Amino acid sequence: MKHSRRKTLALALLVPFATLVTVPAAEAATERTIKVVTYNVGDAGGLKADLVRLIETERPAVIGLQEVADREAVVKEAAAATGYVAIYESDRRAVKHNAILVRGNMTITGHGAGEISPAAKVDPSTPGTGPAEPGDCGCWVPPKYVNWVRVGGAGFEWVVGVVHLTPSAQRFDLNRELHNLQVRNTADWFSSRAAEPIVMGDFNAEPGSDLMTGLRRVAGSYSAPSHGTRSIDHVWAKKDSTGSEVDALGGYGSDHRPVRARVTVTR
């Protein structure tokens, strides 16, 4: 009888202990999706109407623009007309080469720009070259940046970066060296983000080319023929993401077609 009472008491003492060490059920994973567009506007005429139509047709969360340093007023007018926020970094002209438009109902939690290459010498026939100072050779390109915005809330954020890498890297050794540096630094920026990263823009190389090896190590691409038959405008996200509605959009004024992608992650 005493033995039975001791056993009953021991079991009673174990019950609260078992309750304390019960492992809670894991929270169910949630799908998160963002729609983005990257657009190198080139020398398109009628840019305001171009952007307004792009926004009203697609309504993406974020649009990344390239070649807009000298058209800030027009870009901001298009954003204001459609309920978007235009983000220009203003510390120097080169960083204003890219701009970002964010849909007005998105929560912006930060923005900025990081240099991915300094002013550098390239082949003189490269578009966008000039003298670094009076009397110098006309073979310098300005610094390149990844411009970024962080959007979201409720415990989940996306950080979307925009770049425009040096052209002609497949033809000239100096350009290739610089392009490889820009890709490596873009990959480092991508990998170091705490929020869910996306980087997009005009990479001046096909996503599968050897020029993009550094970024392919850490990310997967979504692209379509955007410059003639070449897919040089891309959206990159983590390798475990999925892309849908990926397309190069026709009917706009630039020699580049805007590239759209809807990126989904499960976290």
Side-chain angles (χ1 to χ4, degrees), residues 23-246:
V23 178
E27 291 185 11
T30 303
E31 279 193 355
R32 314 279 185 166
T33 299
I34 188 171
K35 183 179 181 181
V36 297
V37 171
T38 178
Y39 184 29
N40 181 338
V41 307
D43 57 359
L47 180 58
K48 180 180 176 181
D50 220 22
L51 292 177
V52 167
R53 184 162 64 86
L54 178 61
I55 290 169
E56 291 181 342
T57 302
E58 298 297 331
R59 299 299 296 177
V62 179
I63 301 176
L65 301 175
Q66 303 96 55
E67 299 196 19
V68 289
D70 58 347
R71 287 175 272 191
E72 183 175 354
V74 172
V75 170
K76 288 184 173 179
E77 287 171 10
T82 51
Y84 274 58
V85 177
I87 299 175
Y88 270 85
E89 306 302 332
S90 57
D91 61 335
R92 56 198 294 189
R93 179 177 172 83
V95 79
K96 298 171 77 171
H97 182 87
N98 304 324
I100 299 173
L101 304 182
V102 181
R103 198 172 59 222
N105 65 346
M106 302 293 293
T107 300
I108 298 172
T109 58
H111 62 86
E115 187 177 289
I116 56 173
S117 68
K121 280 187 177 183
V122 292
D123 187 272
S125 64
T126 304
T129 56
E133 56 187 42
D136 198 359
C137 69
C139 54
W140 288 81
V141 290
K144 292 287 188 177
Y145 294 85
V146 52
N147 296 55
W148 59 268
V149 64
R150 192 169 60 246
V151 296
F156 191 89
E157 292 182 314
W158 299 88
V159 59
V160 183
V162 180
V163 298
H164 185 188
L165 305 193
T166 297
S168 305
Q170 290 174 318
R171 288 190 290 158
F172 304 118
D173 289 341
L174 274 177
N175 297 40
R176 174 179 289 270
E177 183 179 338
L178 180 59
H179 193 281
N180 286 339
L181 172 66
Q182 292 165 359
V183 169
R184 288 195 303 271
N185 287 341
T186 299
D188 288 346
W189 175 89
F190 182 95
S191 299
S192 66
R193 298 305 95 186
E196 190 72 30
I198 288 176
V199 65
M200 59 185 180
D202 178 359
F203 290 84
N204 274 304
E206 299 264 356
S209 76
D210 65 330
L211 289 166
M212 299 304 301
T213 300
L215 194 50
R216 278 201 309 277
R217 291 193 181 106
V218 298
S221 65
Y222 304 107
S223 190
S226 58
H227 190 254
T229 60
R230 301 174 66 214
S231 299
I232 63 173
D233 301 270
H234 328 149
V235 175
W236 294 78
K238 284 186 176 176
K239 290 184 175 182
D240 62 353
S241 68
T242 58
S244 58
E245 300 181 24
V246 180

